[in-house]
C-alpha cells in the first residue's frame, strides 16, 4: 500500500484510534495498516523490534487476506521459534478464518491437529476443517477423511465417513483422496471389496504422479488383480508390461519397494529381457532406500553369483538386514551361508558319512591346509605302493622264467 505522509497522523496503527484531523476523515481513508515509521509527535505505537513483534498494541484488523498474509509470514519465518511467535501466527490464522478466509480455516485445523503453539485438540481441528470443507476446501475434505479413517477425535475409526469425505475430495481430482478411495476398495474398509474399482482409482491417481498409486497399480497388474473380465473360471490376466510401467513411475521417485520389484522383473525376465546385472542394480537402489525385500534378493544374487561374483560376506550381510526387517525366510539363507563358509574352511574328513545321524554330535572338521596335506600324503603312499608292486611283479616274472625255462 502506498503511504501518504501528509495524512500520517490520520492513519491508525494496529489497534490505535485515529488522530483528529481537520483535513481528512478516517471514513474517507477506510481501514489501513501502517508498516512504515510512525508519524512524529504521536504515541500510537510502542517501539517495535520486528515487523510483527509483540510490542504492538492490541491488534484489531479487519481484512482477512491481510491477516492471512501476516499469519503466513509469521508461520514461515525461520527465526520465529519462540512460543509467542507461534501463538501469534495461530491467532492471526484464527482471526482470518473467523472472517471467512477458507485457507486460514483449514490451516487452523492443521495447527490444532498438530498441536502447534497450543495443546493438540482433535475436536477443534475437526470443527475448523468442517468449516473449511463447507466453504469448498478440498484439503479440509481430505483431512476430515484421514481423521475419520484413523479415528482421531472420534471414539472409533469411521471408514464409512472417511469414504464420504474422500469421495468429495476425489470429485475435485485430489490425487491423495483418489488413492485412499482405491485403498478402501482394495481392503474392503467401509465398502465392499472391489479390486476392479481399486485398480481404477490407483491408475487414476497414478496419472497425477501419485507414487503409492503407481506402485499399487503395478502390483495389481503383476498379480493379475482388478481385471474386469476375470472370473472364477478364468486365470488372472497378468500384464508384466503394464506392471513395469507403473513400477518405473514410482521407481523414478526412488520408492524402495518399486525399485525392488523392477529388479525382480529383470531377474525373472518378466516383461523385459532377463538381466541379472539390471536386477542387481535395482536391488541395490531399493536396498539403499530401505527395502528389506531388496536386501533379501540381493543376498540371493551374491549367494549364487548371478550378475556378480559369489560373495558370501555380502550375501550374509544382506540376509541379516532383511531378517532384522521382518523377512523370516532370511534366517534359512543365513544358515546356508554359514554352512558353506564352514565347508570351505573346514572340509569333512575323508570317509566321514555326512548322512549318518550318529555322527551329528561328533563332527570332526580339519583345516583346508591339513586336508591338502593328507591328500598329498595319500597320493604319495599310493605311488610308493605301485612302485613296490611293480618290483614284486618283476621278481615273480624272473623266478617263473627260472622254474619254467622256455
Amino acid at each position: 500500500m502506498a503511504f501518504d505522509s501528509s495524512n500520517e497522523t490520520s492513519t491508525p496503527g494496529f489497534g490505535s484510534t485515529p488522530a483528529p484531523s481537520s483535513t481528512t476523515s478516517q471514513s474517507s481513508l477506510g481501514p489501513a495498516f501502517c508498516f512504515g515509521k510512525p508519524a512524529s509527535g504521536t504515541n500510537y505505537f510502542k517501539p517495535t523490534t520486528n515487523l510483527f513483534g509483540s510490542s504492538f498494541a492490541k491488534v484489531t484488523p479487519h481484512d482477512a487476506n491481510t491477516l492471512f498474509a501476516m499469519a503466513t509470514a509469521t508461520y514461515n519465518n525461520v527465526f520465529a521459534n519462540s512460543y509467542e511467535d507461534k501463538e501469534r501466527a495461530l491467532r492471526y490464522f484464527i482471526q482470518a478464518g473467523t472472517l471467512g478466509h477458507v485457507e486460514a480455516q483449514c490451516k487452523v485445523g492443521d495447527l490444532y491437529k498438530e498441536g502447534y503453539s497450543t495443546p493438540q485438540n482433535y475436536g477443534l481441528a475437526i470443527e475448523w476443517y468442517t468449516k473449511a470443507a463447507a466453504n469448498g476446501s478440498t484439503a479440509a475434505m481430505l483431512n476430515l477423511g484421514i481423521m475419520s479413517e484413523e479415528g482421531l477425535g472420534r471414539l472409533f475409526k469411521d471408514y464409512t465417513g472417511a469414504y464420504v469425505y474422500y469421495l468429495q475430495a476425489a470429485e475435485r481430482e485430489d490425487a491423495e483422496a483418489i488413492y485412499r478411495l482405491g485403498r478402501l476398495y482394495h481392503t474392503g474398509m467401509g465398502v465392499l471389496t472391489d479390486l476392479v474399482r481399486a485398480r481404477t482409482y490407483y491408475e487414476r491417481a497414478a496419472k497425477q504422479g501419485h507414487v503409492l498409486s503407481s506402485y499399487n497399480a503395478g502390483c495389481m497388474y503383476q498379480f493379475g488383480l482388478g481385471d474386469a473380465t476375470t472370473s472364477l473360471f478364468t486365470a488372472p490376466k497378468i500384464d508384466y508390461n503394464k506392471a513395469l510401467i507403473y513400477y518405473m513411475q514410482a521407481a523414478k521417485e526412488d520408492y524402495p519397494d518399486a525399485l525392488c520389484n523392477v529388479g525382480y522383473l529383470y531377474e525373472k525376465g518378466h516383461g523385459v529381457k532377463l538381466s541379472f546385472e539390471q536386477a542387481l542394480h535395482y536391488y541395490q537402489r531399493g536396498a539403499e532406500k530401505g527395502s528389506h525385500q531388496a536386501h533379501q534378493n540381493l543376498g540371493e544374487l551374491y549367494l549364487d553369483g548371478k550378475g556378480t561374483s559369489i560373495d558370501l560376506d555380502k550375501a550374509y550381510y544382506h540376509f541379516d538386514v532383511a531378517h532384522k526387517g521382518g523377512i523370516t525366510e532370511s534366517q534359512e539363507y543365513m544358515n546356508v551361508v554359514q554352512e558353506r563358509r564352514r565347508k570351505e574352511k573346514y572340509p569333512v574328513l575323508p570317509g566321514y558319512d555326512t548322512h549318518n545321524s550318529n555322527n551329528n554330535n561328533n563332527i570332526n572338521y580339519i583345516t583346508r591346509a591339513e586336508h591338502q596335506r593328507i591328500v598329498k600324503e595319500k597320493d604319495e603312499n599310493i605311488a610308493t605302493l605301485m612302485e613296490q608292486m611293480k618290483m614284486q611283479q618283476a621278481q615273480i616274472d624272473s623266478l617263473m622264467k627260472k622254474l619254467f625255462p622256455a
Side-chain angles (χ1 to χ4, degrees):
M1 171 186 292
F3 186 79
D4 184 0
S5 60
S6 64
N7 294 328
E8 192 169 355
T9 58
S10 62
T11 305
F14 291 105
S16 62
T17 56
S21 172
S22 60
T23 57
T24 308
S25 67
Q26 175 61 25
S27 60
S28 65
L29 288 174
F33 300 94
C34 175
F35 296 99
K37 182 179 180 181
S40 59
T42 62
N43 58 357
Y44 303 128
F45 296 97
K46 296 180 181 179
T48 59
T49 56
N50 60 55
L51 187 59
F52 303 113
S54 58
S55 55
F56 287 125
K58 182 180 178 181
V59 180
T60 55
H62 303 285
D63 182 85
N65 290 328
T66 302
L67 271 171
F68 181 75
M70 292 164 57
T72 302
T74 306
Y75 179 80
N76 293 333
N77 184 1
V78 295
F79 301 105
N81 294 320
S82 67
Y83 176 83
E84 289 76 13
D85 289 325
K86 293 180 178 180
E87 193 275 337
R88 184 178 302 109
L90 175 61
R91 185 173 70 250
Y92 288 158
F93 279 128
I94 290 176
Q95 290 175 345
T98 303
L99 293 175
H101 196 287
V102 180
E103 193 173 350
Q105 293 171 346
C106 188
K107 191 62 180 179
V108 173
D110 291 339
L111 299 185
Y112 275 119
K113 181 183 176 184
E114 298 166 4
Y116 180 91
S117 79
T118 182
Q120 195 173 53
N121 191 321
Y122 293 135
L124 285 176
I126 292 174
E127 179 182 330
W128 281 95
Y129 281 146
T130 302
K131 290 179 182 179
N135 289 322
S137 172
T138 304
M141 297 172 189
L142 173 64
N143 287 329
L144 284 170
I146 293 173
M147 294 188 73
S148 297
E149 183 179 350
E150 297 179 358
L152 302 179
R154 294 168 169 81
L155 293 177
F156 305 101
K157 294 181 178 181
D158 182 6
Y159 295 116
T160 302
Y163 172 80
V164 173
Y165 286 121
Y166 291 153
L167 192 62
Q168 291 175 359
E171 290 174 352
R172 297 167 175 266
E173 294 301 319
D174 184 88
E176 179 68 19
I178 295 171
Y179 157 72
R180 287 176 176 270
L181 273 177
R183 195 180 62 181
L184 291 182
Y185 276 114
H186 194 168
T187 57
M189 296 187 299
V191 291
L192 293 176
T193 301
D194 190 331
L195 297 183
V196 175
R197 288 190 178 184
R199 194 171 82 177
T200 300
Y201 279 118
Y202 287 150
E203 291 189 274
R204 181 176 158 190
K207 290 179 180 178
Q208 297 188 42
H210 194 278
V211 175
L212 282 176
S213 294
S214 298
Y215 171 74
N216 285 357
C219 288
M220 299 196 80
Y221 275 110
Q222 179 179 351
F223 298 105
L225 303 175
D227 186 85
T229 62
T230 301
S231 67
L232 295 174
F233 307 101
T234 59
K237 292 185 178 180
I238 294 173
D239 192 333
Y240 291 121
N241 292 321
K242 284 193 174 181
L244 179 66
I245 291 172
Y246 282 115
Y247 283 149
M248 287 299 295
Q249 287 181 9
K252 288 179 180 178
E253 302 299 326
D254 286 334
Y255 186 67
D257 290 335
L259 290 165
C260 175
N261 287 7
V262 171
Y264 177 83
L265 294 181
Y266 273 108
E267 181 184 357
K268 302 301 180 182
H270 294 328
V272 290
K273 183 179 179 180
L274 188 147
S275 173
F276 293 125
E277 290 75 14
Q278 285 290 341
L280 183 74
H281 168 72
Y282 281 103
Y283 286 152
Q284 286 175 332
R285 287 181 58 191
E288 289 171 359
K289 297 300 179 180
S291 170
H292 296 112
Q293 187 61 53
H295 278 287
Q296 169 65 26
N297 296 353
L298 261 181
E300 294 180 28
L301 293 186
Y302 280 118
L303 181 64
D304 299 330
K306 294 180 178 179
T308 182
S309 58
I310 293 177
D311 192 324
L312 296 183
D313 291 335
K314 287 185 178 180
Y316 188 89
Y317 165 76
H318 289 295
F319 289 143
D320 185 44
V321 175
H323 182 257
K324 291 176 180 177
I327 299 180
T328 55
E329 64 177 316
S330 299
Q331 183 61 60
E332 297 179 12
Y333 283 90
M334 292 165 68
N335 295 339
V336 170
V337 172
Q338 290 177 327
E339 182 65 20
R340 286 178 61 171
R341 281 173 170 173
R342 187 163 52 231
K343 287 182 177 180
E344 287 187 359
K345 186 176 182 181
Y346 303 109
V348 179
L349 281 170
Y352 176 79
D353 184 4
T354 57
H355 300 288
N356 187 349
S357 60
N358 294 328
N359 294 328
N360 289 344
N361 297 324
N362 187 29
I363 299 178
N364 297 317
Y365 288 102
I366 59 175
T367 64
R368 177 174 291 276
E370 180 67 14
H371 174 66
Q372 292 174 343
R373 186 192 66 78
I374 292 174
V375 171
K376 183 179 180 181
E377 186 180 69
K378 185 174 75 170
D379 291 342
E380 291 175 349
N381 290 338
I382 292 174
T384 300
L385 181 60
M386 291 297 293
E387 289 296 327
Q388 292 175 351
M389 291 177 64
K390 287 181 181 179
M391 291 177 63
Q392 290 176 355
Q393 186 64 42
Q395 291 174 356
I396 292 172
D397 291 343
S398 176
L399 180 61
M400 290 298 290
K401 286 180 182 180
K402 290 179 180 181
L403 295 174
F404 304 102

